[in-house]
Amino acid sequence: MSPVLDTAYIPSRDREEVVRNAVWESVVAVDIDHGPPAEDISVRIGLGTVGPLRICSARATAVTIRRTERLAREDEEPAVFVGLQVAGTSLVAQNGRECVLRPGELAVYESIAPYTLLFDEGVDHHFLRFPRAALALPDRLLRDSTTVALGPGNPVARLAFTYFSQLAVSDDLHEGVHADAVVEPSVELLRAVLTSQQGNSSLAKGPLEATLSLRVTRYIQEHLADPGLSAARIAAAHGISVRHLYAVLSRAGISLGDWIRTRRLAECRRELAGPEGRLRTIAAVGRRWGFVDATHFSKVFKRTYGLSPRAWREQNHARSRT
């Protein structure tokens, strides 16, 4: 990952503020206490995103990072962090526990509780931020998993360290279809690390199943424009059978075909009424949202909204001209 912030090019008087703003805006709100005086502060930070995951790779002089009780209490998007120790050592403290990380080890901590990260020897570290909800793990399991050094002694953690280190530094995995392809495996690998560490993978099954319909509908919403979206593809993306997919959605009162069609039509309706509605043909708008057959698109649109896509567009643009 190429650095996006390097204090070598920043006046010494501005370094602390620039570093603080970059971390707050891109990763998490924390207090940062630098060890050396301002003129000796050296920080190189690379920032990236992989879908909902955020990545920060940092090399820096000695620093102490604190997530205070006030900042934790104000958290609007609870997250779970994975810290990967690349070189040197560091200390992680949270929930009344602490651990020392050595090269090749990782630790997990949460944004909703105060924590301290101590880098007395300087920083050579990857930080990965996961949405807490995406992990769908019990609160107790997460609390029991924080501030535990996970490394070569745990084969799943060993695999995770290699995988997440590569994810952090590979710019070509941070965008487009490549990023889409690695989000779910990344979440599942972290789940595997935490549940295997607790020695009881069944702890994860209930919450994972309970959030499956939510994760499925979120996936569908993100892929609405894909004309190849199908039950088989959705099921494969979540590691379940098509039969299980339909059962899960049925319990949530969702008919898959109707749900997808309704949301695709809503997007078409919104686009046709908007400022770009006149820039594309009716058929192009339909194709953009997965309706490959223009005649079929017009029929289902009229059946749903009581007028054709063309009439809907003309009606809304006529209003905007008056």
Side-chain angles (χ1 to χ4, degrees):
M1 181 187 297
S2 303
V4 297
L5 185 153
D6 190 338
T7 54
Y9 304 100
I10 299 172
S12 58
R13 65 179 180 277
D14 298 328
R15 290 176 182 173
E16 292 189 39
E17 182 178 357
V18 169
V19 171
R20 176 183 178 277
N21 288 341
V23 173
W24 277 52
E25 292 177 6
S26 303
V27 189
V28 68
V30 287
D31 289 342
I32 304 174
D33 297 324
H34 295 272
E39 60 270 19
D40 295 326
I41 291 174
S42 175
V43 178
R44 298 176 76 243
I45 296 177
L47 300 169
T49 58
V50 181
L53 315 183
R54 300 183 192 176
I55 300 172
C56 173
S57 292
R59 290 186 178 181
T61 44
V63 67
T64 300
I65 299 171
R66 294 184 178 88
R67 176 82 164 165
T68 65
E69 185 173 348
R70 178 182 63 82
L71 292 173
R73 188 170 56 247
E74 295 174 353
D75 200 337
E76 296 180 355
E77 185 185 359
V80 172
F81 286 93
V82 179
L84 308 172
Q85 189 71 31
V86 179
T89 63
S90 65
L91 182 142
V92 183
Q94 188 176 53
N95 296 328
R97 299 192 304 271
E98 61 182 40
C99 69
V100 175
L101 290 184
R102 296 174 176 80
E105 294 182 331
L106 61 90
V108 172
Y109 45 97
E110 298 184 87
S111 67
I112 58 173
Y115 62 76
T116 299
L117 309 178
L118 183 62
F119 297 93
D120 277 344
E121 303 173 7
V123 182
D124 194 351
H125 213 79
H126 299 306
F127 305 86
L128 289 88
R129 173 177 175 144
F130 289 74
R132 197 172 189 270
L135 292 171
L137 288 171
D139 292 345
R140 180 176 178 180
L141 185 147
L142 284 173
R143 285 196 303 270
D144 290 346
S145 301
T146 58
T147 59
V148 175
L150 304 170
N154 180 329
V156 182
R158 185 169 65 241
L159 170 66
F161 185 92
T162 301
Y163 173 90
F164 288 133
S165 295
Q166 187 64 35
L167 182 63
V169 301
S170 300
D171 290 339
D172 54 354
L173 291 176
H174 297 175
E175 55 189 37
V177 296
H178 302 298
D180 293 339
V182 299
V183 170
E184 197 71 24
S186 300
V187 171
E188 294 303 323
L189 180 54
L190 181 54
R191 287 172 52 80
V193 171
L194 299 179
T195 56
S196 67
Q197 178 66 22
Q198 295 298 318
N200 187 353
S201 60
S202 65
L203 288 172
K205 292 180 181 177
L208 185 62
E209 182 70 18
T211 61
L212 184 54
S213 63
L214 176 62
R215 290 184 289 118
V216 165
T217 53
R218 183 179 64 185
Y219 176 89
I220 295 171
Q221 193 70 42
E222 292 171 352
H223 295 81
L224 271 180
D226 182 358
L229 185 65
S230 66
R233 179 174 295 184
I234 297 165
H238 293 83
I240 59 176
S241 68
V242 172
R243 182 177 181 179
H244 189 187
L245 170 67
Y246 280 117
V248 167
L249 294 179
S250 177
R251 288 196 295 270
I254 295 173
S255 169
L256 180 61
D258 291 344
W259 200 92
I260 293 175
R261 183 168 52 254
T262 297
R263 278 149 185 79
R264 282 177 167 172
L265 286 170
E267 292 294 341
C268 293
R269 186 172 185 258
R270 176 191 57 77
E271 187 167 324
L272 287 168
E276 295 186 0
R278 288 169 290 183
L279 304 180
R280 291 192 177 98
T281 65
I282 300 294
V285 172
R287 283 195 302 272
R288 170 174 163 77
W289 293 104
F291 292 98
V292 295
D293 186 320
T295 300
H296 173 70
F297 168 54
S298 293
K299 286 182 178 179
V300 295
F301 190 99
K302 185 172 183 178
R303 186 166 63 241
T304 302
Y305 297 117
L307 69 170
S308 69
R310 188 175 305 280
W312 168 254
R313 181 174 65 178
E314 292 175 353
Q315 174 180 300
N316 279 274
H317 291 293
R319 289 173 183 168
S320 65
R321 290 193 296 269
T322 59

